[in-house]
Amino acid sequence: MCAVSPLPLDNLPVARPAPLRSPAAARLTRLARLTLTLLPLLAIGAWAAVDWSAMSEGAARLAAADPRWLLAGVFFTCLGWVAAACVRQGALPERLPPGPLLASQFAAGAANHILPASIGAHAVTLRFLQRRGIPLARATASLALYSLVKPLSKTVVLVVFLVALPDALRLGDLAPDTWTLLMAAGAAVLGLATAALLLTVVRPLRRPALGFVRTALTEARTLHTRPSRVLALWGGSAAAPVLQGSVIASVGFSLGLPLSWAQVVLALLLASTAVGAVPAPGGIGPVDAAMVFTMAAFGAPVSLATATVIGYRVLTVWIPLLPGAFVLSALVHREVL
């Protein structure tokens, strides 16, 4: 009489109930989410209180400007967010949902004007990519590729403007002298040497740094085998400064600025290239001063150049800032970020 074999149930995994969170932990989670939701709005309110005079002066000047050119500036501003979303998509092989991606870049614009050196925008984008299931290493590599391609493409656009319109664009005293070029080259060499020395001396940094470089190179090679990603990455990066310059030109034309569109775009390219590395929130401050100086060197009155830059900041910073903060809070509340 043969023995009945037992059913093979002993090796099946036993389902365990999910651990219940304590009331204190649940309250802490709700408090953290509420804090992250309200933090953008509080930061925007504090900044508005500090810089109220500039905002009110720019708004007063825009109230007397030509509304048709201002509408053109609003149009180019919206296209700038689309270009930013295209570049973010071009830096990743995975397809991202267009709607949430565009919303995240609109919200990133608000965060970018609070923290220096694009930290706010990168933090929002990094969180968005992680919520979409992108591993941290690959998400960080996409941010690095984005940060590398933007200045390279802007340099190409600058060279194209200088070569295509040598007579219409009067550089005058804007061309840097030999000493300035030597200082810039020395700073670049010193930065690269410092990074190499740190990687050589500090061993704990070497392995993660090399791993990050390998991941970034692999991602870049994969992306550049796909024409759609190449077009989105490089095309969007090249279009971004042109759209930004078009916004400034539209505001200037609404105020009667006596410069051409090409001169205004070149003024932006030169100003952002010269002082764009200064870690100011959204480039506000150093880039503004350099823009006024550059447009004045092209022949614009200083007062009108200043009004143009103030109006441009109102149109691209202050007007979208509160809606961007609300979108940022909504994305955090809905756990998109």
Side-chain angles (χ1 to χ4, degrees):
M1 185 174 177
C2 57
V4 179
S5 61
L7 292 176
L9 299 177
D10 296 336
N11 295 328
L12 292 179
V14 178
R16 296 181 180 178
L20 297 176
R21 291 190 300 178
S22 64
R27 285 195 299 269
L28 184 61
T29 301
R30 287 195 297 269
L31 179 61
R33 182 176 298 176
L34 179 63
T35 302
L36 291 175
T37 302
L38 296 179
L39 185 60
L41 302 178
L42 295 176
I44 297 307
W47 191 24
V50 171
D51 203 21
W52 178 259
S53 60
M55 186 186 69
S56 60
E57 180 183 355
R61 289 185 177 274
L62 288 180
D66 187 344
R68 293 169 297 180
W69 279 114
L70 292 182
L71 286 177
V74 172
F75 174 72
F76 289 125
T77 301
C78 295
L79 287 183
W81 296 320
V82 176
C86 288
V87 179
R88 297 293 188 184
Q89 175 62 88
L92 273 175
E94 291 86 354
R95 179 175 175 80
L96 301 172
L101 175 60
L102 184 59
S104 71
Q105 294 311 293
F106 181 60
N112 190 44
H113 295 303
I114 299 174
L115 298 176
S118 300
I119 295 176
H122 288 332
V124 170
T125 303
L126 182 63
R127 182 61 180 168
F128 172 74
L129 295 179
Q130 287 189 282
R131 296 295 294 179
R132 300 303 305 176
I134 307 298
L136 178 61
R138 297 185 55 239
T140 307
S142 74
L143 296 183
L145 181 61
Y146 172 90
S147 301
L148 177 64
V149 169
K150 281 195 69 177
L152 291 177
S153 60
K154 184 172 68 174
T155 303
V156 173
V157 174
L158 174 59
V159 172
V160 169
F161 268 78
L162 292 176
V163 172
L165 302 169
D167 297 329
L169 304 175
R170 304 182 301 274
L171 292 180
D173 296 331
L174 294 178
D177 54 17
T178 305
W179 178 247
T180 303
L181 293 176
L182 289 176
M183 288 181 60
V189 172
L190 181 61
L192 293 175
T194 303
L197 181 63
L198 286 175
L199 292 178
T200 304
V201 175
V202 185
R203 296 192 172 214
L205 292 177
R206 192 181 310 165
R207 184 173 181 180
L210 292 178
F212 171 76
V213 170
R214 283 194 294 268
T215 302
L217 291 177
T218 302
E219 288 287 298
R221 284 195 299 267
T222 302
L223 289 169
H224 284 80
T225 59
R226 303 176 62 175
S228 61
R229 295 296 185 266
V230 173
L231 179 61
L233 180 63
W234 290 95
S237 298
V242 176
L243 291 172
Q244 189 179 0
S246 299
V247 177
I248 302 174
S250 299
V251 175
F253 296 158
S254 71
L255 298 173
L257 186 72
L259 296 180
S260 66
W261 172 84
Q263 286 175 314
V264 175
V265 175
L266 180 61
L268 171 67
L269 293 170
L270 292 173
S272 58
T273 301
V275 298
V278 178
I284 297 175
V287 175
D288 292 349
M291 274 291 302
V292 172
F293 172 76
T294 307
M295 288 192 292
F298 283 155
V302 175
S303 59
L304 195 52
T306 304
T308 298
V309 173
I310 292 177
Y312 159 72
R313 287 301 182 185
V314 171
L315 196 64
T316 59
V317 176
W318 285 111
I319 292 178
L321 202 53
L322 187 58
F326 276 117
V327 171
L328 180 59
S329 299
L331 293 178
V332 172
H333 181 70
R334 295 185 179 183
E335 299 184 355
V336 178
L337 298 180

